[in-house]
Amino acid sequence: MKVRKTRLTRLTRRTFLGVVKRVGVGVMVGLNGLSCVYGAVQEEPIVVGFSKQLLVDDYVIAEKVNVTRRLRSVTKVGPILKPTLESDHGASFGYYHTALYNPHESKFQMWYSVGVGIEDKNPYRGIGYAESDDGIHWTKPLISADGKSNIVLPMTGNSIMLDPTLPWGHAEKFKAAWMHPESRAALAYSSDGRRWEFYNDGKPVTHRAGDTQNQIFWDPVRKAYLLGTRTDMGPGGGPTEHRGWRFMVHDKGGDIRNHPTAWKPILDRIVVNDPQQKPGSDPPDLQFHHISLWRHEGIWFQLLNVWTAPTQKEYNENDDSTRHDRDVSDYYLGVSRDVMTIDRSFVYARQPLIPRGQGGSWDDDIITPSNNIITRGDEHWIYYCGMNERIHNFKNRGQSYIGLAKLPLDRFIGLIAGQELGTIVTKPFQLEGNRLEVNVDARLGELRVEVLDAAGQPLAGYGSDDATTYRNVDDLRLSPRWQKPLSEIRGRIIRLRFHLRKAGLYAFQFQK
């Protein structure tokens, strides 16, 4: 599929004179007189430095031709945590969960919803704790107050964060958001994730609603704690319920102990607004049940739990051999630079990050995300809960497990070219490194990288004829070469132009 050139504007006499004044005549003269200058008026350089540039959006891109942005397929590993304790067995095992890697202990840690009883046979309710040395094989230490279970926090709707602003061993290094029985969010803290104390004496810190995967996290840009919870959109419960989301900021300097309820909404009533649904249809077919945020390489990845056609109907019989279309839950991905922008593009395209399984599989009806993703070496580990029956079949779910999917490093979303040559041109930036690394999958195709000046003209020694063409490569850190080394032009304002054929480009980064 062709993608029309973007950010190229025809030069008028006025813009021509402006460009000449700024960049000089020499950079504008081509074989046929005047060459096109990106954006007509020279763009201000952006800051790239040594930060990795993920091509999940157009932040660093000035032009792209014959490429499409696509979601990468994950590889499912299978279930890695199943009900084994008396407290585990129920209809909601693992539905809400957090998996983290603790580098201080060299250990994986997980907190998950224990099973609210199938047909009320299981009295347990709360958040269970598990740990692992390898992220695959888990143990469940019996560390509850009575020593009979692994339940460490009450209720459910949990998410856990490792506070990056505090040292290891600090009493509040771990923070938890969880659902209070009043259907409002409550908060807790811990030094190790096993023994917990409550903010606000265990009372709620927000108004309704909290019956979801509430999340507390740190925003390094705002230098503040943020809290994400459900928000009331209309009728509470029942077949006409509307589900939406909100983000709040702690506005008392991050002192949650002394100001546990100081949460101010910054974005509220976030809904899907599905363009495929007929105007006036009610309730919405697609609803955000929760939105978790995970920060990676300066980008907020939105882990979107979307309920499809929720009817609120409780099912009294199992149909676990069918992959249903209503009352199901999917895991989509979005990206944002600022928290406030909600990316619904893959939701609208009906392209989940982790597809539900085939009919009869353990995850054919429900997929829900952990509130983060773990990066281990050159892979992303994506934990999720899968269930084989619909959302409101609380009595008869036969399978409810926590599973794992994997993805190569930084290959969430890429720019993909087919048989026809595709090109991608960056915005201008000052070159600070001596070596370029490119994350590219060209197993069946090819890649070539040009270095351009600020106006988009190839630099001598770095143009198309000077660049090495790489064929049949699949490399997370391919280092392109030219006739001349990059060190000779370090400090100049440059652009990169990537040439792709039957290949996908995911990221680039400069090294010293």
Side-chain angles (χ1 to χ4, degrees):
M1 175 182 177
K2 287 188 176 181
V3 178
R4 191 174 64 182
K5 291 185 178 181
T6 58
R7 299 184 64 86
L8 291 180
T9 306
R10 183 181 177 184
L11 283 173
T12 65
R13 182 176 182 275
R14 177 176 296 177
T15 55
F16 164 72
L17 293 175
V19 173
V20 169
K21 182 177 180 180
R22 294 186 62 181
V23 304
V25 174
V27 299
M28 300 187 60
V29 176
L31 295 177
N32 298 312
L34 297 180
S35 65
C36 188
V37 176
Y38 295 94
V41 176
Q42 192 78 349
E43 293 177 87
E44 291 295 326
I46 62 172
V47 177
V48 168
F50 299 104
S51 299
K52 186 177 292 183
Q53 304 300 313
L54 303 185
L55 303 183
V56 297
D57 59 14
D58 285 344
Y59 172 78
V60 73
I61 297 171
E63 172 194 313
K64 54 185 188 290
V65 180
N66 292 334
V67 295
T68 56
R69 185 165 277 117
R70 293 182 191 169
L71 189 70
R72 177 86 174 207
S73 297
V74 303
T75 300
K76 289 185 178 180
V77 175
I80 52 87
L81 195 71
K82 297 183 178 182
T84 55
L85 303 177
E86 180 184 359
S87 54
D88 285 340
H89 292 282
S92 299
F93 173 84
Y95 190 85
Y96 303 115
H97 64 284
T98 297
L100 296 172
Y101 181 73
N102 182 335
H104 184 66
E105 298 185 18
S106 299
K107 190 180 293 293
F108 292 82
Q109 295 179 282
M110 185 182 294
W111 299 261
Y112 64 93
S113 303
V114 300
V116 177
I118 295 177
E119 297 181 351
D120 300 323
K121 291 179 181 178
N122 188 337
Y124 290 97
R125 186 179 182 93
I127 300 168
Y129 173 78
E131 58 189 28
S132 170
D133 291 329
D134 62 5
I136 304 293
H137 305 92
W138 296 79
T139 60
K140 302 171 182 175
L142 303 181
I143 55 175
S144 61
D146 61 9
K148 296 180 179 180
S149 74
N150 66 336
I151 297 176
V152 295
L153 282 167
M155 291 300 288
T156 182
N158 63 293
S159 74
I160 314 295
M161 72 169 287
L162 280 172
D163 193 331
T165 71
L166 299 176
W168 293 103
H170 192 283
E172 299 174 77
K173 179 64 177 179
F174 291 74
K175 291 180 170 59
W178 51 280
M179 182 183 78
H180 191 272
E182 297 177 10
S183 190
R184 296 190 284 166
L187 300 174
Y189 60 92
S190 170
S191 63
D192 61 5
R194 301 173 180 89
R195 293 164 291 275
W196 292 85
E197 302 290 340
F198 297 111
Y199 291 108
N200 204 32
D201 298 321
K203 298 189 292 291
V205 300
T206 69
H207 60 78
R208 278 185 45 91
D211 53 336
T212 185
Q213 181 155 303
N214 306 282
Q215 185 188 20
I216 182 171
F217 56 98
W218 174 257
D219 183 348
V221 177
R222 290 181 175 84
K223 295 187 176 357
Y225 295 107
L226 301 187
L227 181 63
T229 74
R230 281 269 303 276
T231 191
D232 280 326
M233 296 297 300
T240 60
E241 182 173 8
H242 295 199
R243 294 170 180 85
W245 198 252
R246 65 182 168 184
F247 289 112
M248 296 171 280
V249 63
H250 192 267
D251 65 353
K252 292 294 183 180
D255 184 0
I256 301 177
R257 277 207 195 185
N258 291 315
H259 303 281
T261 62
W263 298 98
K264 178 181 178 182
I266 56 174
L267 189 63
D268 202 355
R269 302 177 71 83
I270 307 167
V271 295
V272 176
N273 286 328
D274 180 22
Q276 296 187 32
Q277 188 165 11
K278 294 180 180 178
S281 299
D282 194 52
D285 279 344
L286 298 184
Q287 302 184 20
F288 285 134
H289 190 254
H290 63 262
I291 300 175
S292 296
L293 293 186
W294 169 63
R295 191 167 175 83
H296 176 63
E297 300 293 354
I299 295 172
W300 292 107
F301 284 80
Q302 301 165 342
L303 315 181
L304 308 172
N305 179 213
V306 176
W307 282 13
T308 299
T311 64
Q312 301 296 114
K313 173 184 176 181
E314 291 194 18
Y315 300 93
N316 294 314
E317 295 181 357
N318 258 12
D319 183 11
D320 55 15
S321 63
T322 301
R323 188 179 192 270
H324 296 96
D325 296 320
R326 299 184 65 84
D327 279 320
V328 296
S329 170
D330 286 297
Y331 178 175
Y332 291 96
L333 186 71
V335 294
S336 174
R337 298 274 172 173
D338 60 2
V339 175
M340 306 292 284
T341 303
I342 307 300
D343 178 9
R344 302 168 174 84
S345 55
F346 290 114
V347 180
Y348 291 165
R350 305 300 196 268
Q351 296 176 6
L353 176 63
I354 302 178
R356 289 181 287 119
Q358 299 297 314
S361 60
W362 66 279
D363 59 355
D364 62 2
D365 275 353
I366 290 178
I367 300 280
T368 62
S370 171
N371 73 302
N372 74 324
I373 293 172
I374 296 175
T375 304
R376 295 295 294 156
D378 284 346
E379 289 185 321
H380 297 294
W381 289 25
I382 309 169
Y383 291 91
Y384 67 98
C385 177
M387 298 183 181
N388 71 334
E389 255 294 359
R390 289 154 288 184
I391 293 168
H392 295 289
N393 191 338
F394 294 115
K395 296 180 180 179
N396 301 295
R397 286 186 191 135
Q399 297 178 18
S400 177
Y401 309 142
I402 293 176
L404 174 64
K406 293 185 178 182
L407 196 65
L409 183 68
D410 299 327
R411 290 191 177 176
F412 292 98
I413 302 167
L415 290 172
I416 314 299
Q419 182 61 48
E420 191 170 2
L421 182 67
T423 59
I424 302 162
V425 180
T426 69
K427 296 174 183 176
F429 58 89
Q430 184 176 33
L431 175 62
E432 297 182 30
N434 293 323
R435 182 167 59 89
L436 174 65
E437 292 182 346
V438 175
N439 188 331
V440 62
D441 182 354
R443 286 171 289 180
L444 303 175
E446 63 183 40
L447 166 76
R448 185 172 67 260
V449 185
E450 286 184 272
V451 183
L452 315 177
D453 63 18
Q457 298 302 305
L459 288 171
Y462 305 90
S464 183
D465 294 337
D466 307 307
T468 302
T469 298
Y470 295 89
R471 295 184 176 90
N472 310 120
V473 296
D474 182 9
D475 200 330
L476 299 174
R477 300 174 185 86
L478 178 70
S479 186
R481 294 183 180 276
W482 300 269
Q483 192 179 88
K484 296 180 179 180
L486 282 179
S487 58
E488 291 191 10
I489 55 172
R490 190 175 64 244
R492 290 194 59 171
I493 303 298
I494 67 165
R495 298 174 188 258
L496 298 177
R497 177 155 57 204
F498 299 92
H499 299 259
L500 300 167
R501 193 187 308 274
K502 297 179 68 174
L505 184 66
Y506 296 90
F508 70 87
Q509 182 177 19
F510 287 94
Q511 303 291 348
K512 294 182 180 179

